[in-house]
Amino acid sequence: MADVLTLPNWLRTLGTGPHGAHRRALRDDCGEVTFAELVEAMDAVAVGLRRAGLHTGDRVVTAMEPSIPHTVVILGALAAGLVAAPLNDRLTGPEARAYLATLRPSAVIADTAHASLAQETGCRVIELPAAADHLPVADRTAPLASRGGPLAPPAEDSPAIVFATGGTTGVPKGVCHTHRSLWLWLNTCAHGNPRTVTDVELFFSPFFHITLGTNLLAPLFAGGEVWIQRRFDAGSALAAIDRGASRLMGAPTMFTALRGHPAFATTRRENVRAIRFGSAPSTDGFVRGLLRDFPNARIRAGFGATEFGSVMGFDHEDLLADRFTGVGRPLPGAIVRILDEEGRDVPAGVVGDLVVACPWQAQGYYGLPEETAETFRADGVHIGDRAARSEDGWVFIVGRTKEVIISGGENVYPREVEEVLLRHPGVADAVVYGLPDEHWGERVEAGIVTVRGTTVDLAQLRAFCRADLAGYKIPKRLRRLDAIPLTPNNKPDRRRVRTEALAEATGTGAEASRVAPGPPTEPR
């Protein structure tokens, strides 16, 4: 079995070896397990799932809080040759049913906190009533845990795990990784962002997001330790850092929350050796703050997507050289191209469609052959991002095809505008969107969060933007926000901000006094 590229087999080499078996693998609020105990629990759940009547290739949905039992159930499903599908627990019952209609799961495994959501899916539910109790892992995974195993390994090219896309434009699609692509992806994460067996990774992300791979499974793959928190809470995260967590990963908003917490100043941060951030544009002030506040950490930024995992990034040395914008260079093994409408590579500085091909990309959308064919093409994966590349190969994401604002016949990509706005010293966060406009067709608007104690008006922002943006890209309206709402995947929720702005503009929403308008025929 050792020569089969599956995650369960790889973990068995760690859990049965003389040096790694007794090292702690996972810790959560209710307990901890060594690598040997993790493998034993994984195989026990695999046997239990088979004895519960599930067969090779069946989809197993998990509706659980981030925890050791949740991890074990996912690994047990992989070890049993089933397809694990962590569910977005923020979905309503009808939303969950719509998403699962394509997956057609054979069972939903739920803890007590999510039992009602699981029942609303209409699927067979297996509840783990003691998942959140301070008990041994076998009791926390009862009634699934069963003696026996390990089972014969599944084929490398068979489906292993399904992650849901963000679902910002409708029902999420299930992105399916094979055992081989999952193994290769985790291997890339482990080596592209080097880890050691002495690392302690702090995990505070949802399991349905691909950070399950980059921030939990990849550290386990490398033989390191992971501390799982049920949800992001700045105070709890700082307490874990004070106790010795040495690696952090999250969106810029999460690190901003850490640094704004009262306990931040007294937290021991010198033991943090690595930080990785992504999901949204960052500012040079944000990065300089990380470099200052975590002096022993090597800081990296990454770019990826549910369809292909991590594929680009920039390193600590790039940040020290004051290179803060864009998404960096391709990782080894990733082929990144920027193409025009005819499928030809565009010159440096020209915006085109971002196309990615790599050995660890997903195989497609589960049960959706037409959508798979549209996105997963012969030349690579087309996810709808628009990008440009510098002469030295540095990639910049300017927006998404579906988010493009067509103002006066010109294309405006929100992310390009956001990155300029974020350079303003009074802007802490920003989101850009388009609204209908009688004169321009669509007008560019921006929602901003100001730095505490500062005020910023539309005229100031427009003047600031003129050095870097063409006139038609500069926001014509400004909304002041207390915070930028996030999607379940911790990305700016542009659709929600746009909907609220549209309600205000039409007089159906909140007061419009927070909107600073500009003249509709101002120069472009």
Side-chain angles (χ1 to χ4, degrees):
M1 292 192 299
D3 58 346
V4 179
L5 292 186
T6 72
L7 178 58
N9 271 4
W10 183 260
L11 292 176
R12 288 191 191 99
T13 66
L14 299 174
T16 59
H19 303 295
H22 301 296
R23 285 202 316 270
R24 184 164 56 195
L26 295 173
R27 176 179 180 177
D28 67 9
D29 293 341
C30 298
E32 58 185 54
V33 290
T34 64
F35 275 93
E37 292 166 338
L38 176 63
V39 170
E40 181 181 4
M42 171 186 75
D43 287 333
V45 166
V47 172
L49 287 167
R50 284 303 191 95
R51 289 179 177 171
L54 281 78
H55 305 285
T56 300
D58 283 356
R59 277 71 63 205
V60 178
V61 170
T62 56
M64 302 175 65
E65 291 183 334
S67 63
I68 291 174
H70 196 168
T71 309
V72 169
V73 171
I74 289 172
L75 294 175
L78 268 58
L82 309 173
V83 184
L87 181 65
N88 180 351
D89 59 3
R90 300 180 187 178
L91 297 178
T92 64
E95 288 173 327
R97 288 196 298 274
Y99 168 58
L100 298 180
T102 302
L103 294 185
R104 303 188 307 278
S106 296
V108 177
I109 314 301
D111 57 18
T112 301
H114 297 90
S116 60
L117 174 61
Q119 293 291 348
E120 286 189 71
T121 66
C123 303
R124 174 191 179 190
V125 176
I126 301 174
E127 186 176 345
L128 308 185
D133 292 347
H134 292 265
L135 294 170
V137 66
D139 295 318
R140 296 179 69 186
T141 53
L144 279 180
S146 185
R147 292 186 178 275
L151 302 174
E156 288 181 9
D157 60 354
S158 62
I161 192 166
V162 172
F163 291 102
T165 58
T168 57
T169 56
V171 177
K173 297 184 287 290
V175 177
C176 185
H177 274 278
T178 65
H179 284 276
R180 182 179 181 85
S181 69
L182 176 62
W183 194 100
L184 292 173
W185 171 30
L186 300 182
N187 184 61
T188 295
C189 292
H191 291 90
N193 189 14
R195 292 171 165 89
T196 71
V197 295
T198 61
D199 287 332
V200 177
E201 191 104 16
L202 183 61
F203 183 91
F204 42 59
S205 299
F207 270 32
F208 61 84
H209 189 260
I210 61 168
T211 47
L212 175 69
T214 55
N215 198 25
L216 193 154
L217 299 181
L220 289 179
F221 185 96
E225 181 178 341
V226 183
W227 293 356
I228 303 173
Q229 297 192 327
R230 293 180 181 176
R231 61 189 60 83
F232 175 73
D233 174 80
S236 298
L238 288 170
I241 293 169
D242 199 64
R243 292 196 305 269
S246 61
R247 296 181 67 95
L248 311 175
M249 177 179 172
T253 51
M254 295 179 174
F255 289 103
T256 300
L258 291 179
R259 292 157 64 187
H261 193 277
F264 185 78
T266 57
T267 299
R268 293 184 302 114
R269 304 188 300 274
E270 61 273 10
N271 57 300
V272 177
R273 298 193 297 268
I275 289 175
R276 190 170 188 267
F277 65 89
S279 295
S282 61
T283 66
D284 57 351
F286 166 78
V287 175
R288 292 184 196 280
L290 287 182
L291 291 168
R292 179 190 65 243
D293 294 332
F294 296 90
N296 297 330
R298 288 187 60 82
I299 300 172
R300 293 178 170 86
F303 171 83
T306 311
E307 288 82 354
F308 44 62
S310 305
V311 292
M312 286 186 282
F314 46 101
D315 292 325
H316 191 76
E317 290 72 22
D318 296 312
L319 301 177
L320 294 179
D322 293 341
R323 203 161 195 178
F324 303 119
T325 59
V327 293
R329 306 178 187 86
L331 299 178
I335 299 173
V336 176
R337 302 175 66 195
I338 301 173
L339 307 180
D340 63 16
E341 293 180 357
E342 305 299 324
R344 299 169 300 197
D345 293 277
V346 302
V350 176
V351 174
D353 291 324
L354 180 75
V355 180
V356 174
C358 57
W360 56 89
Q361 69 189 46
Q363 68 172 181
Y365 300 119
Y366 194 95
L368 298 170
E370 293 182 3
E371 289 86 344
T372 296
E374 180 182 353
T375 301
F376 294 81
R377 307 180 197 174
D379 60 352
V381 184
H382 296 242
I383 60 169
D385 276 346
R386 300 282 286 174
R389 193 195 308 260
S390 67
E391 291 285 356
D392 64 350
W394 195 268
V395 177
F396 297 84
I397 304 296
V398 300
R400 293 186 60 77
T401 302
K402 293 180 180 179
E403 293 174 349
V404 65
I405 304 164
I406 303 177
S407 183
E410 301 284 358
N411 289 352
V412 181
Y413 294 97
R415 182 159 177 160
E416 179 185 18
V417 181
E418 288 164 359
E419 291 195 349
V420 174
L421 292 175
L422 287 169
R423 296 176 202 157
H424 190 286
V427 176
D429 208 352
V431 60
V432 171
Y433 52 91
L435 283 190
D437 186 275
E438 291 183 2
H439 185 78
W440 301 115
E442 279 188 293
R443 64 175 179 265
V444 180
E445 291 199 1
I448 67 164
V449 179
T450 57
V451 174
R452 185 178 302 175
T454 65
T455 58
V456 180
D457 62 27
L458 180 65
Q460 290 175 321
L461 273 187
R462 287 182 59 82
F464 178 82
C465 290
R466 286 211 175 273
D468 296 292
L469 293 174
Y472 65 86
K473 299 179 182 179
I474 298 175
K476 295 178 173 61
R477 296 287 191 279
L478 176 65
R479 295 181 71 235
R480 298 175 184 87
L481 306 175
D482 296 325
I484 305 295
L486 301 178
T487 70
N489 288 346
N490 295 313
K491 296 183 179 181
D493 194 340
R494 199 182 316 279
R495 184 173 66 168
R496 176 177 165 186
V497 175
R498 183 186 184 279
T499 299
E500 292 173 350
L502 185 60
E504 288 183 359
T506 57
T508 60
E511 53 174 313
S513 62
R514 292 163 62 85
V515 181
T521 57
E522 58 200 354
R524 294 164 63 79

